[in-house]
Amino acid sequence: MKTVIGNWKMNVGVRESVALARGVLYALRGKRVIPEVVLCPSYTALSEVRKVVARSSVSLGAQNMHWEEKGAFTGEVSARMLEEVGVSHVILGHSERRQLLGEADEMIGKKVAQALDKGFVPVLCVGETKEEREAGEEKEIVRTQLKKALQNVRLSKKAKLFIAYEPIWAIGTGKTATVAEAIEMHALIREIAGEILGGAEAVQVLYGGSINNDNAYEFLREEEVDGVLVGGASVKLSQMREVLEAATEAVEGQLAA
Ligand code: PGA
């Protein structure tokens, strides 16, 4: 299976989110096989997008979640609140939150543990900066991020966890990692996650960072790439349609193999 996750960030309001979700469903209509699709609108659009994707195979994701059950945490949203509006997946540790909003590894670890405890599928983001890659430190950086994010995790039998490798220098820049760089890091992520969790069966590794209609297939056709986390291109329906088409072709390729 291949997964396409659309991270709409703070880019679209309720009306546009509904239109995008409808467009995605339309693009998947009539296909014999379809990839797993998760749409992550802003909090304010979750309820309306839920109505669109209800009774479809498309899942609803949130872009963040707090680690506590409830309390005096102004501006935060809990697992229970997300569950109430039909959310099943949650992006955690996105580099924009790490870099711009001071989200630390320790918080991300607590969020991942809470998300799994409450039955969500976390989409944990890891990745190095340009300077770190230039210094040859990317593997150590990702290893540390994974250790801190997964240390408190207990996986139940049916738990599932996405880990998105998102090199920070590739996000929103139009510059992707090479497929070879992605594959190398994906294999390492699987290995490290397997060491920490006592097996990597529950883990699926996604690539994210400037995925679009032109480059989606070259990543998705690789066995090491379980899917893509798409930002900018996911709010442009014409591009998203082609990313979904690429994922469908990749799934067909898997079935034929
Ligand atoms: P991008 O964002 O596709 O716009 O590079 C990806 C992400 O931030 O998840």
Side-chain angles (χ1 to χ4, degrees), residues 1-4 165-167 169-170 174-186 190 205-230 243 246-247 249-251 254:
M1 184 44 84
K2 299 281 176 177
T3 300
V4 177
Y165 171 51
E166 296 210 309
W169 45 272
K175 208 174 150 199
T176 64
T178 64
V179 173
E181 283 168 341
I183 287 176
E184 191 188 10
M185 192 59 98
H186 281 211
R190 240 181 270 281
V205 188
L206 313 177
Y207 171 78
S210 294
I211 284 292
N212 60 30
N213 48 324
D214 287 331
N215 59 26
Y217 186 70
E218 59 178 294
F219 286 91
L220 283 163
R221 73 176 169 203
E222 297 294 336
E223 203 186 324
E224 267 295 343
V225 178
D226 294 315
V228 286
L229 177 53
V230 191
V243 173
E249 268 174 52
V251 177
Q254 280 178 317

Side-chain angles (χ1 to χ4, degrees), residues 43 64-67 73-78 81 97 111:
Y43 290 141
N64 183 31
M65 189 191 85
H66 199 268
W67 62 85
F73 301 104
T74 303
E76 290 293 326
V77 171
S78 72
M81 293 166 185
R97 298 198 57 83
K111 291 178 183 198

Side-chain angles (χ1 to χ4, degrees), residues 125-139:
C125 301
V126 296
E128 78 287 355
T129 62
K130 183 164 170 279
E131 293 71 31
E132 288 161 349
R133 180 161 276 268
E134 280 167 2
E137 292 165 356
E138 69 277 8
K139 296 196 175 87

Side-chain angles (χ1 to χ4, degrees), residues 7 9 94 96 166 170-173 208-211 229-233:
N7 174 10
K9 308 193 181 186
H94 191 280
E96 283 149 16
E166 296 210 309
I171 297 179
T173 57
S210 294
I211 284 292
L229 177 53
V230 191

Side-chain angles (χ1 to χ4, degrees), residues 20-29 39 52-54 56-58 244:
L20 270 175
R22 285 196 182 125
V24 165
L25 287 194
Y26 195 76
L28 296 172
R29 241 175 40 176
L39 301 179
V52 178
V53 300
S56 80
S57 63
V58 173
L244 293 170

Side-chain angles (χ1 to χ4, degrees), residues 8 45 71 85 88 101-102 106 111 121 124 155-156 166 189 196-197 236 255:
W8 296 351
V85 290
S88 55
L101 295 156
E106 197 210 345
K111 291 178 183 198
V121 180
L124 167 67
L155 286 182
S156 71
E166 296 210 309
I189 288 172
I196 303 171
L197 301 170
K236 297 185 191 102
L255 292 174

